[in-house]
Amino acid sequence: MAEPSFTLTQLRYFAAAAELGSMTAASRQLVVSQSAVSTAVAQLEKELGVQLLLRHHARGLTLTAAGEEFYRELRSYLVHTSELVEVARSAGQALVGDLTIGCFTTLGPFELPRLLAACEQEHPGIHVSVLEDEHAALKHALRSGRCELALMYGYDLDDDIDHVRVGVAAPYVLVGKGHRLARRKKIALAELEKEPMVLLDLPHSGQYFERLVESAGFRPEIRHRSAGFETVRAMVANGQGWSVLNQRPASSTTYDGAEIVTLEISDPVEPLEVVLASMKGVRLTARAQAFVRSSGRAARRREGR
């Protein structure tokens, strides 16, 4: 059987049509005629011997099952064709080009700046843009190709996602300055059983903190839930309850000027890994590989290794 003889242009035109769900929209994005896109896609389907798109009159396009699988593989391929051009143009020079990484919302202020700075110091030609979102949305962004890497916690990572550790985040208890236990350095979670909790209630994070407390043998009485990290800190500082967090701001002062106290947990609780996640089986661009390496070195310096 003869090998298919399709062109890079046909692949690009198909990818645009698949992404936008419309031949017309694809032609506008590519600045070519609609007939050029339609012809290229039809020729690609003929070469492959399979239908990739379903045409719906007045309702645009949808991918067939074969089209979905082909498009998923094609996204990675097109990224690397662009990288190939850059390699040729910058042979013997530093890495250049764009890189999009995702970042879990609450990790941003604590981990992201130092990793961006480390990459910029080693590879000033790499221009990193950041997509901030919650855990499930970042996994979707990786799968859809909206970002190549995602800085996130290392829990609930599915089998199709790889990860490299770049930090750890140990949980701790947070109480107000006037709390009865505020002078202690370390406590057992059970000592807070009769008191209300303020929960950082982000998708997945909320369940993680609840399970962590339940591992001490009791179900917390949750007085307030908030998706805001600083809101939780301020509520605790103002006597609304205690909380468990795993990122530590340098200041004990909350936005409203109140004070909080951090206490170590004596119970055997595992710290969360902070990871750079990527899609398993998808070869990272040279830019993404460079970011992973510089982040790893930054992590080792922070841990004193």
Side-chain angles (χ1 to χ4, degrees):
M1 181 183 293
E3 290 293 324
S5 180
F6 49 75
T7 67
L8 184 56
T9 296
Q10 290 169 352
L11 294 176
R12 288 178 54 242
Y13 285 14
F14 163 74
E19 179 182 356
L20 298 172
S22 164
M23 297 288 187
T24 302
S27 68
R28 291 199 198 101
Q29 184 183 83
L30 297 164
V31 196
V32 297
S33 68
Q34 181 177 337
S35 62
V37 178
S38 299
T39 301
V41 173
Q43 289 174 341
L44 177 62
E45 290 177 319
K46 182 178 179 181
E47 284 293 333
L48 294 174
V50 65
Q51 186 172 2
L52 302 173
L53 291 170
L54 295 174
R55 286 79 165 167
H56 306 286
H57 180 65
R59 292 193 293 114
L61 308 169
T62 57
L63 288 162
T64 64
E68 287 183 359
E69 185 172 353
F70 184 73
Y71 178 52
R72 185 167 55 248
E73 297 295 330
L74 177 61
R75 284 198 306 265
S76 174
Y77 173 79
L78 290 178
V79 167
H80 289 292
T81 60
S82 299
E83 185 185 28
L84 187 61
V85 174
E86 291 169 8
V87 167
R89 289 175 176 170
S90 60
Q93 302 176 18
L95 282 170
V96 296
D98 297 326
L99 172 66
T100 300
I101 67 170
C103 180
F104 186 65
T105 308
T106 59
L107 273 176
F110 301 99
E111 302 288 345
L112 185 61
R114 68 184 176 88
L115 300 188
L116 292 176
C119 182
E120 184 177 13
Q121 184 176 22
E122 296 184 20
H123 306 285
I126 298 178
H127 305 291
V128 182
S129 57
V130 179
L131 170 67
E132 288 190 280
D133 219 319
E134 52 86 19
H135 195 83
L138 289 178
K139 293 194 292 184
H140 179 72
L142 284 171
R143 293 186 177 108
S144 67
R146 291 178 61 210
C147 62
E148 193 171 359
L149 299 169
L151 180 65
M152 57 204 302
Y153 289 115
Y155 60 73
D156 194 32
L157 297 180
D158 304 313
D159 291 340
D160 61 341
I161 294 178
D162 263 336
H163 65 278
V164 175
R165 194 188 75 139
V166 293
V168 291
Y172 63 93
V173 165
L174 193 69
V175 297
K177 189 175 181 180
H179 192 274
R180 62 183 177 84
L181 299 174
R183 294 184 178 275
R184 297 268 296 276
K185 296 294 184 183
K186 181 181 292 190
I187 65 167
L189 289 170
E191 295 181 73
L192 296 164
E193 180 177 1
K194 304 300 183 182
E195 300 184 29
M197 181 183 185
V198 180
L199 181 69
L200 179 62
D201 196 16
L202 289 166
H204 297 282
S205 292
Q207 295 95 312
Y208 162 75
F209 288 126
E210 284 192 80
R211 288 197 300 266
L212 187 149
V213 174
E214 289 170 2
S215 70
F218 70 97
R219 184 181 295 275
E221 175 200 338
I222 298 172
R223 175 181 288 177
H224 298 293
R225 298 173 181 266
S226 174
F229 184 88
E230 284 296 334
T231 302
V232 169
R233 279 167 42 92
M235 284 186 177
V236 170
N238 284 276
Q240 294 301 298
W242 57 277
S243 190
V244 178
L245 299 174
N246 55 11
Q247 292 293 340
R248 303 189 188 219
S251 174
S252 61
T253 304
T254 60
Y255 281 0
D256 64 349
E259 295 288 325
I260 53 90
V261 175
T262 61
L263 306 172
E264 301 297 327
I265 299 174
S266 61
D267 306 81
V269 292
E270 289 293 325
L272 275 178
E273 288 191 335
V274 179
V275 304
L276 278 173
S278 60
M279 292 306 299
K280 187 174 292 185
V282 175
R283 184 170 63 90
L284 294 177
T285 62
R287 296 181 296 277
Q289 292 177 41
F291 189 90
V292 171
R293 289 194 297 271
S294 67
S295 296
R297 284 188 282 270
R300 289 190 290 275
R301 286 194 296 270
R302 191 181 197 189
E303 295 172 5
R305 293 191 284 126

